[in-house]
Amino acid sequence: MTEEIEFILDSTKESMTGSIAHLEKEFLNIRAGKASPAMLGSVFVDYYGSATPLSQVSKISVPDARTITLQPFEKNMLQVIEKAIMVANIGFNPMNNGDVIIISVPALTEERRRELAKQAKVEAEDAKVGIRNARKDANTDIKKLEKEGTSEDICKSAEEEVQNLTNSYIRKIDELLVSKEAEIMKV
C-alpha cells in the first residue's frame, strides 16, 4: 500500500480510538449508584475568574460507597464549590459543615436506572456516529487518491480495511455499552 493510504488508515484509527476514549469518559460521568470522584469530573469552579476543575481546588475523597467529601484547599472556596456542584446539575445536593462539603449519593431507583441506561445508549450511539464519520472521511480521502491515479485495487483493499476497522470499533462500543448497562442495572 502507498504511504498516503497508510496515513489515511492511521489517522482513521486514531480518530476512532478517540471516539472510544470519549465514550469511556462519558460513561464515567454516568453514575451507577456507587460514589466515585469521577462523578464530579464535569464540575468546574470559578477560581479567581477562571473555570478550574474541582479536583484542582479541593481534595476529593470517598469515605464509603454512598458519600463523597470535598476538602477545599482554601476555606473561602466552600460556597463557591457548593454553588458549582449545584450549577453542574448532576443530581447532587451538597452539604457544607464549615470545613468540608459532604455529598450523599442517593441509591438509584429502578426508574432512574432505566434513565441512566438510556443515557448510556445515547452516548454509545454518539460514539458510533463518530466512528462512521471517521469512516466517511477516510473513504472520501481514498476516492480522491483513486482520482489522482492510485490503482483501483489498492483503493478497494484500503476501503475494505477501513470497513473492518469500523466494524471492530463498533463492536467495541457495543461491548462497552453492554457492560455499562449491566453495571447500571445491578442493584
Side-chain angles (χ1 to χ4, degrees), residues 64-126:
D64 61 60
R66 295 263 176 251
T67 312
I68 301 173
T69 59
L70 299 153
Q71 175 79 49
F73 298 137
E74 298 176 28
K75 211 171 202 123
N76 63 340
M77 292 300 293
L78 274 170
Q79 279 78 27
V80 178
I81 291 172
E82 212 172 355
K83 183 180 176 207
I85 293 168
M86 298 292 263
V87 169
N89 197 19
I90 49 178
F92 292 139
N93 192 11
M95 293 173 290
N96 164 355
N97 71 4
D99 291 325
V100 295
I101 295 172
I102 301 164
I103 299 172
S104 293
V105 179
L108 296 176
T109 62
E110 185 66 27
E111 183 182 332
R112 182 69 179 137
R113 287 179 193 280
R114 288 187 215 281
E115 285 175 25
L116 291 174
K118 279 183 190 172
Q119 186 181 345
K121 280 183 183 155
V122 167
E123 294 299 339
E125 198 51 49
D126 287 348

Side-chain angles (χ1 to χ4, degrees), residues 10 83 159 164 176:
D10 286 345
K83 183 180 176 207
E159 285 176 357
N164 291 339
L176 287 170

Side-chain angles (χ1 to χ4, degrees), residues 10-175:
D10 286 345
S11 63
T12 302
K13 215 179 280 187
E14 191 176 309
S15 176
M16 290 180 176
T17 302
S19 290
I20 296 283
H22 179 74
L23 177 66
E24 289 170 337
K25 187 174 157 234
E26 290 301 315
F27 276 179
L28 283 177
N29 291 335
I30 299 175
R31 60 190 175 97
K34 199 172 110 186
S36 160
M39 293 175 168
L40 301 172
S42 62
V43 179
F44 284 83
V45 178
D46 180 29
Y47 186 66
Y48 297 107
S50 66
T52 308
L54 185 59
S55 60
Q56 292 182 11
V57 295
S58 68
K59 178 183 165 220
I60 303 172
S61 56
V62 182
D64 61 60
R66 295 263 176 251
T67 312
I68 301 173
T69 59
L70 299 153
Q71 175 79 49
F73 298 137
E74 298 176 28
K75 211 171 202 123
N76 63 340
M77 292 300 293
L78 274 170
Q79 279 78 27
V80 178
I81 291 172
E82 212 172 355
K83 183 180 176 207
I85 293 168
M86 298 292 263
V87 169
N89 197 19
I90 49 178
F92 292 139
N93 192 11
M95 293 173 290
N96 164 355
N97 71 4
D99 291 325
V100 295
I101 295 172
I102 301 164
I103 299 172
S104 293
V105 179
L108 296 176
T109 62
E110 185 66 27
E111 183 182 332
R112 182 69 179 137
R113 287 179 193 280
R114 288 187 215 281
E115 285 175 25
L116 291 174
K118 279 183 190 172
Q119 186 181 345
K121 280 183 183 155
V122 167
E123 294 299 339
E125 198 51 49
D126 287 348
K128 286 181 182 180
V129 168
I131 300 288
R132 291 183 193 117
N133 284 339
R135 175 186 62 191
K136 186 183 97 189
D137 293 344
N139 285 338
T140 302
D141 291 344
I142 291 169
K143 294 249 188 284
K144 280 182 194 168
L145 286 177
E146 193 174 346
K147 285 180 184 170
E148 291 171 6
T150 305
S151 99
E152 194 176 319
D153 290 342
I154 291 174
C155 290
K156 282 286 178 229
S157 67
E159 285 176 357
E160 286 173 16
E161 180 65 29
V162 168
Q163 186 58 46
N164 291 339
L165 278 174
T166 303
N167 294 342
S168 71
Y169 278 94
I170 286 189
R171 252 191 317 279
K172 193 178 244 182
I173 289 172
D174 289 336
E175 290 166 8

